[in-house]
Amino acid sequence: MTARQEQHYVCISCPIGCPLRLVHEGDQIIEVEGQECNRGAKYARQEFTDPRRTFSTTVPITGAVYGRLPVKLSAPVPRQAIPAAMAAIRLLSAEAPVRLGQVLLRDVAGVAGVDVVACRTMDRVMITPSDDPSSAT
Amino acid sequence: MFGRMNRRYDVVVVGGGPAGLAAALGALDSGVSRVLVVEREPEAGGILRQCIHAGFGLHHFREELTGPEYAERFVTQVMDRDIDVAPHSYVTGLAVDSSGHRLVRVLSERGGLATVECRSVVLAMGCRERTRGAVRIPGTRPAGIFTAGLAQKLLNLDGYLPGRRAVILGSGDIGLIMARRLTLEGCKVEGVFELMPYSNGLTRNVVQCLDDYGIPLHLSTTVTRIHGRDRIEAVTVAPVDETGRPDAARAWDVPCDTLLLSIGLIPENELSESLGIALDVVTGGPKVDSTLATSLPGVFACGNVLHVHDLVDFVTEEALRAGRFAGEHARQIRRPRDAIALVPGANVRYCLPHTLSADRPHTVYMRAKTRMSPCILRVGNLLERRLRFVVPAEMIHLTIQPELLERFYEDRLQIDLLPVDGGGVP
Amino acid sequence: MYDVAIIGGGVVGCAIARELSRYHLRTVLLERLAEVGFGTTKTNSGIIHAGQQTTPGTLKGLLEVRGNAMFDQLQRELGFGFRRCGELVVAASAEELASLERMKADGEAKGVPGLEMWDAQRLRREEPNLSLHLVGALFAPSAGVINPYEFAFALAECAVQNGVELRVEQEVESIALRDGGGFRIHATVPSGPGAVQAGLGAVKAGPGEDSVAGVDVEARFIINAAGVHADKVAALVGADDFIIRPRRGEEYLLDRRLEGIVTRLIFPVPTPASKGILIIPTFDGTLMVGPTAHDQDDRFDVPTTTEGSEEVFATVRRLCPSLDARATIAEFAGLRAVSDTGDFIIGPSRVPGFFHVAGIQSPGLTASPAIAVHVVELVGRAGLPLVEHDQFNPHVAPPARFATQSHEVRQALVEADPRFGRLVCRCELVTEAEVHQAVDHGARTLDGVKFRTRAGMGRCQGGFCTTRVMQILSRRLGVPFHEVTKRGAGSWLVIPMAEDREAAMTEAGGMSAGDTTAGAGEEAPCSDA
């Protein structure tokens, strides 16, 4: 028989931030308490069974108005996969033009269905402000 | 059209960030056709372009977007609807000619110092960050001290890390988000230090940006000294008492090569001030009536230049309204003057707009001074609403219907946030 | 071989360099930091003293009054920010009033023009925001405020334009006597913590010189104007006849909205250690309060302190009660070079050909042009041939300031040069053309641009303009963006992410994108919550 244990979370569903206590025996959730609404229980269960996160970062881009293209994950990945996802994105680069939503990498870190997508359109610019000929000497 | 600037417009919008873009769309919706957005950056979109994290649009679009995605939705609409956008351009002043037209002075490389004539102006310049001087941290003046927003720009637009070992002062959302961002990029974040006994950021940001990455949050603690000759080498941090005074006996040093300051935002009102527009000392932004008109006729304000918002969705809502009213003004539609002053009462730091009329619904924005949970929101003797909580970091919004004001004959309406266990208006 | 090597590019060294450039001479100016005027000069209170406060009979007293009188012409020639706003030494008691009477007599004996005693009523009328407890004041109309860094920049630029060689980031390490007369100075690039880390390439050395190993400079005469380091430099040739003890002063710059609270310099009655803590209406229209005066041993570390701030505001509030620490927008500290003789040390040392210009604390800035004339005369007497240059040009072109121009002038500027149409600093309204001008005039760092153009001095303190100025500097200096520094070696600003990316690729060792295992085990950023 597995001993009864508990996990503590702070609910992020709304700004109240209810302190949640989840009681479990092994993988079996016994109860969740501390929440002021149903979303708290749901959040704690998700955190306990399969905590997922998403993040945004940038990749280098050439030929655009700035040197970085913002990218995001199309869906959350298991929290443990973040370092691998980040490492994979670090190897990417892009060349303008890029369209909003364009997929730069499929199934990032081996997570099926989670892609790395461009968060904005970046047109190709011929002269960027930083190498404006009028300023060169 | 992007890059086009004529000499005559109905409405000129100063600033092409989320407020300016929505104001331009609002103006067009009101029936005017000639709208110009003046933007100092090479492209429109404003600060959202560097806010690459998700969390935008939950109210306005009912989905979670990153900053650049949210911005692009508005940039696309502005482009589709033939609004002129002048990039690399800066408004240096504003005058009124004898026929009542506003003359906007626009400085740009291509157009020189041009004068643009219009009927209405919308101020949408956003806000700027408080700096080291504002919090007066003693010590040396080395390189490596950045406001969080500048570091965010360097990182997310230009591709440069501010350093390899950072301390963050201030736990507002920008500070929390930068903590995660720097960590992901390989910069070690030694800790986030917050003067107040609570974080000024959203709970989900504390959880997802700090807790997830094991970054310590030190509440009631502040940076008391900066060390380092050429580049910052360490900071001294110390716990503070209830009055905010540091306890030197319990201070310790944190080695670092970077200090990020995330210590608050201030509406960017140099232009407004130079025009003699009346400002609210609490918000730092202009005083506005229920049409978001400032004390200078034909000049409107919205977004962070009016008051610092925590959600861009509300900036959009406010700016769409400001744009519509600016457009109506340009079409010579005049409304009667507001008859009711809206004033902050118990536990209300500020409320906007400063005046109301009884002829139409109004959206009122306000901020609490301190946390209260639960609490009663009371609008004069007209309305009471129970709120589960109020916190200073979360703006409260409320719609006041005209029916409510039908039989309100006073000239002053006070808003209070009261504890639930009774207690009248003080 | 140079005729003269000046060690130290503060305002004194720069003034000497310009003075020497009037003559047919080969002169070199060696500066430890990235730009001239970046040491004590940059943190100076920026006051041109009238002269009545200094003890009569001292060298500093003499050169102060002489120096003051030179500033109108210097301002016309060099175009730095300077305004004679006058100063008031205010008395809070009958005893203090009596000492002001003595000060007035002393000042008149030294030739300080226009001194007047003001009674409480006059003081109140002229400066209505001062404390009601003040009983009178001594008014000195010839005192003024100046931007000391602009003065140093213009002096150096004028000297260079007239043939002086300026070498920055040269720290003098040894000085040897040359066979056959003169000296051999060995200088190296100062190393600051972090210089290596950021891979700084901004090393200034002449063609063909190995900058890391250092450079040798030979000169017949040396003028030691090394400020707080002057005794250390003197010791290199065994001419250490004095000791310099740095005395730190903290200054607090207040928000522009306080402009006009006082219109003149406000001094308390001085003590032997210092002229006290003052209220300074700066040339740029801001108020500054300070400085403190605390001796310290460290010659590099110049922090502001909580105690200093408390001392400054407690003191100035006695003079002007409406001043508040909360109005501070910036704070900084500097080191005065205080000698153990109590007076300026100017003249030949016991080593022939090696001249001291040391212990130049207050009123050093005021005296600096007179010091330069004086020391050049002394070196001339020691055998330096002073043959005047008929090509000497005393003028430098003052920079065009967009912010202070009328609409019409602004229009003309943009038409002539479209770079005036590109805004770099929005708080102080500085355009790209002005940043280019600053580089043309010698700026090499972010601070160099800031102190020449005011970009970054405003309310947002560089939040908006930093990256723009860095881009221009990067382009103009021909260095990568990340090699632009705040103020020279060690003060690096950013690290390129590209570098990190290369490291990541090496680390990943050709791992294919999407590989789930690589990297996951190492230093997982996620803690187990």
Side-chain angles (χ1 to χ4, degrees), chain B residues 176-386:
Chain B
L176 300 176
I177 281 157
M178 281 305 290
R180 173 176 61 183
R181 188 76 192 97
L182 288 173
T183 305
L184 282 172
E185 291 299 343
C187 171
K188 172 109 174 75
V189 177
E190 297 292 338
V192 175
F193 295 85
E194 170 59 55
L195 180 71
M196 304 305 286
Y198 49 84
S199 163
N200 279 311
L202 300 171
T203 313
R204 66 163 185 208
N205 283 334
V206 175
V207 173
Q208 296 191 341
C209 299
L210 301 189
D211 298 354
D212 272 4
Y213 295 88
I215 300 166
L217 171 62
H218 302 269
L219 297 173
S220 298
T221 310
T222 194
V223 173
T224 58
R225 182 94 176 227
I226 289 165
H227 306 270
R229 197 171 113 193
D230 299 315
R231 176 80 188 192
I232 187 167
E233 288 160 30
V235 291
T236 302
V237 294
V240 297
D241 62 18
E242 306 77 58
T243 64
R245 210 176 163 79
D247 180 358
R250 292 195 290 145
W252 75 98
D253 285 354
V254 183
C256 60
D257 65 17
T258 302
L259 173 63
L260 291 199
L261 303 175
S262 173
I263 50 180
L265 302 168
I266 305 166
E268 181 88 272
N269 275 297
E270 275 65 55
L271 179 64
S272 325
E273 266 181 274
S274 74
L275 301 176
I277 287 174
L279 300 183
D280 179 327
V281 290
V282 178
T283 60
K287 290 187 174 173
V288 289
D289 70 10
S290 65
T291 68
L292 300 169
T294 68
S295 61
L296 193 65
V299 178
F300 297 77
C302 58
N304 283 350
V305 80
L306 181 56
H307 59 130
V308 176
H309 297 59
D310 37 87
L311 292 177
V312 71
D313 305 72
F314 294 141
V315 169
T316 299
E317 183 281 324
E318 186 177 86
L320 283 167
R321 274 192 293 133
R324 276 197 291 270
F325 289 124
E328 284 182 10
H329 181 273
R331 293 173 55 213
Q332 319 261 22
I333 298 171
R334 296 289 182 265
R335 291 174 182 275
R337 286 176 78 91
D338 291 346
I340 305 161
L342 189 67
V343 292
N347 198 28
V348 178
R349 200 160 80 79
Y350 70 80
C351 49
L352 281 171
H354 294 79
T355 58
L356 296 179
S357 67
D359 63 334
R360 61 186 195 282
H362 293 293
T363 302
V364 171
Y365 288 122
M366 71 198 87
R367 249 179 225 285
K369 283 181 185 162
T370 60
R371 186 185 176 101
M372 244 181 214
S373 178
C375 131
I376 301 281
L377 167 66
R378 179 184 289 170
V379 182
N381 51 7
L382 303 175
L383 175 75
E384 269 196 8
R385 187 171 291 171
R386 192 187 156 96

Side-chain angles (χ1 to χ4, degrees), chain C residues 254-509:
Chain C
L254 308 183
D255 194 281
R256 200 180 277 276
R257 71 187 138 80
L258 293 175
E259 181 170 11
I261 281 204
V262 298
T263 58
R264 300 169 183 84
L265 290 154
I266 309 296
F267 289 74
V269 172
T271 65
S274 126
K275 293 194 171 79
I277 291 171
L278 1 154
I279 309 170
I280 304 159
T282 70
F283 177 79
D284 293 315
T286 49
L287 274 193
M288 193 159 81
V289 291
T292 55
H294 295 285
D295 290 348
Q296 67 174 44
D297 292 324
D298 196 305
R299 291 162 193 252
F300 298 99
D301 204 24
V302 277
T304 52
T305 61
T306 312
E307 302 77 46
S309 156
E310 282 165 4
E311 182 189 348
V312 164
F313 284 95
T315 313
V316 295
R317 283 168 69 94
R318 284 201 288 273
L319 304 179
C320 182
S322 53
L323 295 180
D324 191 324
R326 280 174 300 184
T328 305
I329 58 160
E331 55 192 74
F332 59 90
L335 296 176
R336 306 173 181 87
V338 180
S339 78
D340 54 355
T341 70
D343 200 351
F344 292 167
I345 301 166
I346 299 174
S349 69
R350 65 177 119 110
V351 178
F354 189 92
F355 283 70
H356 294 312
V357 183
I360 312 296
Q361 57 155 320
S362 179
L365 175 63
T366 309
S368 58
I371 291 172
V373 172
H374 181 60
V375 73
V376 169
E377 198 181 296
L378 293 178
V379 182
R381 261 186 246 158
L384 181 72
L386 298 177
V387 181
E388 278 197 39
H389 217 297
D390 50 12
Q391 303 291 309
F392 175 74
N393 177 7
H395 297 274
V396 294
R401 281 273 163 86
F402 189 79
T404 55
Q405 308 299 334
S406 67
H407 179 73
E408 289 68 30
V409 175
R410 285 178 180 180
Q411 253 172 336
L413 284 172
V414 186
E415 266 160 39
D417 182 350
R419 293 177 305 179
F420 277 107
R422 192 174 266 183
L423 200 78
V424 169
C425 165
R426 48 99 199 264
C427 300
E428 298 287 325
L429 213 65
V430 181
T431 64
E432 190 170 310
E434 291 158 274
V435 178
H436 281 282
Q437 249 176 38
V439 178
D440 295 340
H441 288 244
R444 294 291 175 270
T445 61
L446 209 52
D447 275 2
V449 170
K450 172 174 161 181
F451 284 92
R452 281 178 177 83
T453 65
R454 298 192 58 76
M457 278 195 185
R459 290 171 199 230
C460 91
Q461 292 280 301
F464 180 75
C465 67
T466 297
T467 54
R468 286 167 170 75
V469 174
M470 284 173 74
Q471 265 162 9
I472 298 169
L473 279 170
S474 155
R475 228 151 56 215
R476 289 294 308 274
L477 305 180
V479 299
F481 184 83
H482 65 273
E483 285 186 12
V484 174
T485 65
K486 179 170 165 60
R487 53 170 173 254
S491 63
W492 58 277
L493 290 160
V494 294
I495 300 165
M497 271 163 86
E499 209 172 76
D500 266 41
R501 189 165 167 268
E502 276 162 32
M505 286 176 106
T506 318
E507 224 171 86

Side-chain angles (χ1 to χ4, degrees), chain C residues 88-280:
Chain C
L88 287 166
V89 187
V90 294
S93 66
E95 296 93 79
E96 287 193 350
L97 211 50
S99 74
L100 289 187
E101 294 283 4
R102 283 193 299 277
M103 188 189 281
K104 178 166 182 276
D106 285 350
E108 280 164 350
K110 280 190 292 183
V112 177
L115 293 174
E116 276 175 30
M117 287 300 294
W118 285 5
D119 60 13
Q121 205 188 350
R122 174 88 193 267
L123 182 60
R124 211 143 297 154
R125 198 167 62 236
E126 300 276 357
E127 294 288 353
N129 296 311
L130 292 183
S131 167
L132 299 176
H133 297 108
L134 299 173
V135 295
L138 174 61
F139 173 58
S142 64
V145 286
I146 182 172
N147 284 338
Y149 38 87
E150 287 179 11
F151 181 43
F153 295 154
L155 285 167
E157 191 184 344
C158 182
V160 167
Q161 157 192 298
N162 287 297
V164 171
E165 282 178 46
L166 168 64
R167 294 186 171 204
V168 292
E169 296 197 315
Q170 299 292 335
E171 185 163 20
V172 173
E173 206 165 66
S174 65
I175 302 173
L177 295 178
R178 248 179 110 257
D179 296 335
F183 303 88
R184 180 177 296 113
I185 302 167
H186 185 72
T188 55
V189 178
S191 56
V196 178
Q197 189 182 352
L200 278 166
V203 163
K204 306 291 175 292
E209 289 168 341
D210 180 350
S211 58
V212 178
V215 295
D216 284 318
V217 169
E218 293 185 337
R220 283 179 63 204
F221 291 90
I222 292 178
I223 299 176
N224 170 19
V228 289
H229 308 285
D231 54 346
K232 304 285 181 202
V233 168
L236 296 175
V237 280
D240 44 336
D241 314 316
F242 58 88
I243 294 166
I244 299 290
R245 188 87 203 279
R247 185 176 292 160
R248 185 164 45 86
E250 300 179 24
E251 304 270 12
Y252 294 81
L253 202 60
L254 308 183
D255 194 281
R256 200 180 277 276
R257 71 187 138 80
L258 293 175
E259 181 170 11
I261 281 204
V262 298
T263 58
R264 300 169 183 84
L265 290 154
I266 309 296
F267 289 74
V269 172
T271 65
S274 126
K275 293 194 171 79
I277 291 171
L278 1 154
I279 309 170
I280 304 159

Side-chain angles (χ1 to χ4, degrees), chain A residues 17-84:
Chain A
C18 294
L20 306 175
R21 190 173 74 102
L22 179 143
V23 183
H24 63 103
E25 279 179 18
D27 291 343
Q28 190 73 34
I29 297 169
I30 309 298
E31 60 171 342
V32 179
E33 54 185 47
Q35 68 274 29
E36 283 191 30
C37 75
N38 295 335
R39 287 184 292 173
K42 196 178 160 209
Y43 173 75
R45 286 167 193 278
Q46 177 74 39
E47 280 294 282
F48 181 72
T49 51
D50 180 21
R52 288 194 168 236
R53 294 289 186 269
T54 187
F55 66 90
S56 313
T57 183
T58 63
V59 301
I61 183 166
T62 50
V65 64
Y66 291 102
R68 304 299 288 194
L69 170 71
V71 296
K72 69 170 187 180
L73 304 185
S74 60
V77 294
R79 206 172 54 191
Q80 289 73 10
I82 288 179

